[in-house]
Every structure is written in C-alpha cells, then in structure tokens.
Amino acid sequence: MEISLDNRLYILRSSNLPEDLIRKFVVADKLFLREENHESEAVVNEIEHECLVRGISLYKPDALV
C-alpha cells in the first residue's frame, strides 16, 4: 500500500525528529501547502532516508499499520 504525501507528512510531524530534520520538515510542509508536491516529496524522501540511516523510528499510526 502506497502512503500519500499528506500522510507521510503527518507521520513525520508526529515523529520525534532531531532539530535539523525538523527544519527540513518545515520546508517540505510549506512546499506541500503551496501545492509544490514534487518538491515536497523530494524533501520528505530525504528526511525518511536520513531517519533510516540514523535509526530514527517514525510514528506509526494505527490506521496505517
């Protein structure tokens, strides 16, 4: 099941991210709100990759588990 960009942003917003990734998240969120979805998704991909590399657990909402 593919998770929408909106849901991916929600997951990141609900996760305990370090300060540097929070700053990137704010950029991704602003891009999303301006409907610049491709650019927002690129930043979300970077954040998710960094979380994977650093071993940062992301929030797992019950509806998406």
Side-chain angles (χ1 to χ4, degrees), residues 10-12 14-16 57-62:
Y10 171 76
I11 289 168
L12 291 174
S14 301
S15 298
N16 188 20
S57 297
L58 296 178
Y59 172 74
K60 291 184 176 104
D62 293 336

Side-chain angles (χ1 to χ4, degrees), residues 22-63:
I22 290 172
R23 285 191 295 274
K24 282 187 176 187
F25 170 80
V26 169
V27 170
D29 200 37
K30 286 180 181 179
L31 288 167
F32 179 75
L33 292 173
R34 289 192 303 226
E35 297 185 7
E36 297 178 31
N37 292 345
H38 292 294
E39 293 84 354
S40 178
E41 187 166 23
V43 178
V44 167
N45 288 339
E46 288 177 30
I47 296 168
E48 291 172 340
H49 177 75
E50 277 298 312
C51 287
L52 182 64
V53 168
R54 297 185 200 183
I56 298 169
S57 297
L58 296 178
Y59 172 74
K60 291 184 176 104
D62 293 336

